[in-house]
Amino acid sequence: TLNPSVTVTSLPNTIIGNDTTICSGETLSLGGPAVPGVIYQWSPATGLDDPGSANPQVTLTYNGPANDTVYTYYSFITQGPNCNKTDSIKVTVKPKPVVTVTPTSAQICNGSSVVLTASGATTYTWSPADSLSSTSSAQVIAKPITTTIYKVRGSIANGCFQEQSITVTTFESPVANFDLSADKICTGQPLSVTNKSLNATGYDWRWGDGSTSTFESGQHVYVAPGTYNITLITVRTDPSGFVCTDTIIKTVDVINSI
């Protein structure tokens, strides 16, 4: 009489993730911790970092044109010659917006502003808020006092989003100012101007009679009577070459000499 013996081996207690939904471009872990003595094989291998791992990672993208892209991965688990198990996980990938910001970077003088425009999504959230005209519009006005990196998150109805950033670089501006020796003079009489400007590296005087000067402080003589607008344009050139200016205008009355 034969008394054959049969050894029954339990299937390995392995972990596979539940069916799930992600946004395009996200990375997902498909399995769980490895069990000693168990061989793992995932299929298809496309996109997996290690098809022979107990817990491979995969980065999936929406490829349209349907509302979502669905991927199915199969796990083949083997322990010994006759024990194996097959399972699967379905991953639904939702489309993600492609957000762009214009301009891609900006340079402004202190006290100036720049318009930033985001596109590619339905709703937007900007930060930091303190130097922006709005935090929820597609188009905002940024007026930072120092160089600032702005971030915008653009979202669509399915909950997926993309973030972009833009650096607005600020440069120190000059402050134009000057004093007149008099606000009324006679023709032929020198008018003195004393420059009181700050942070300037260059000066452009426009006397209102067609003549100009580039000195810091000095004199000008009018030969014809009239009321003249004296314009001082101050210039500050950053070592990078970026130029900021400021302008001030004052008036002098010139009468004929007796």
Side-chain angles (χ1 to χ4, degrees):
T1 300
L2 297 176
N3 294 306
S5 61
V6 178
T7 301
V8 179
T9 303
S10 299
L11 287 172
N13 183 23
T14 56
I15 298 174
I16 187 170
N18 296 321
D19 292 348
T20 189
T21 300
I22 63 173
C23 295
S24 182
E26 292 183 359
T27 298
L28 177 70
S29 296
L30 298 180
V35 175
V38 174
I39 298 173
Y40 301 87
Q41 188 62 46
W42 290 81
S43 178
T46 303
L48 300 180
D49 65 342
D50 182 2
S53 168
N55 189 23
Q57 291 191 327
V58 62
T59 302
L60 299 175
T61 57
Y62 167 81
N63 58 21
N67 289 337
D68 302 310
T69 301
V70 178
Y71 296 84
T72 301
Y73 285 91
Y74 296 91
S75 172
F76 302 97
I77 303 167
T78 303
Q79 186 176 36
N82 298 311
C83 290
N84 55 70
K85 178 181 178 181
T86 302
D87 206 343
S88 66
I89 177 173
K90 182 171 70 175
V91 183
T92 301
V93 181
K94 301 184 294 184
K96 185 170 69 174
V98 178
V99 177
T100 58
V101 179
T102 54
T104 56
S105 63
Q107 296 177 315
I108 62 173
C109 300
N110 281 342
S112 300
S113 61
V114 61
V115 176
L116 308 178
T117 304
S119 60
T122 305
T123 61
Y124 302 92
T125 303
W126 294 82
S127 65
D130 54 358
S131 55
L132 293 172
S133 61
S134 170
T135 58
S136 58
S137 301
Q139 187 175 86
V140 299
I141 299 173
K143 192 175 182 180
I145 58 175
T146 60
T147 296
T148 302
I149 299 175
Y150 293 98
K151 294 183 179 180
V152 59
R153 172 181 288 196
S155 304
I156 56 179
N158 66 10
C160 295
F161 63 88
Q162 186 182 53
E163 292 183 337
Q164 294 289 357
S165 62
I166 172 177
T167 300
V168 178
T169 304
T170 60
F171 294 89
E172 189 174 5
S173 297
V175 179
N177 193 20
F178 66 91
D179 289 338
L180 295 172
S181 58
D183 56 12
K184 181 179 290 187
I185 60 172
C186 297
T187 55
Q189 177 184 351
L191 173 70
S192 297
V193 289
T194 303
N195 200 324
K196 297 295 184 70
S197 302
L198 302 174
N199 303 324
T201 59
Y203 310 94
D204 180 11
W205 295 91
R206 301 180 184 183
W207 301 104
D209 59 357
S211 58
T212 62
S213 302
T214 58
F215 51 64
E216 182 173 350
S217 298
Q219 293 182 332
H220 184 69
V221 176
Y222 290 94
V223 297
T227 299
Y228 297 91
N229 288 328
I230 302 173
T231 302
L232 171 60
I233 303 172
T234 54
V235 177
R236 180 177 179 85
T237 303
D238 186 81
S240 68
F242 193 83
V243 176
C244 292
T245 63
D246 189 34
T247 300
I248 188 173
I249 300 173
K250 294 187 177 184
T251 301
V252 63
D253 290 324
V254 180
I255 59 177
N256 278 318
S257 298
I258 299 174

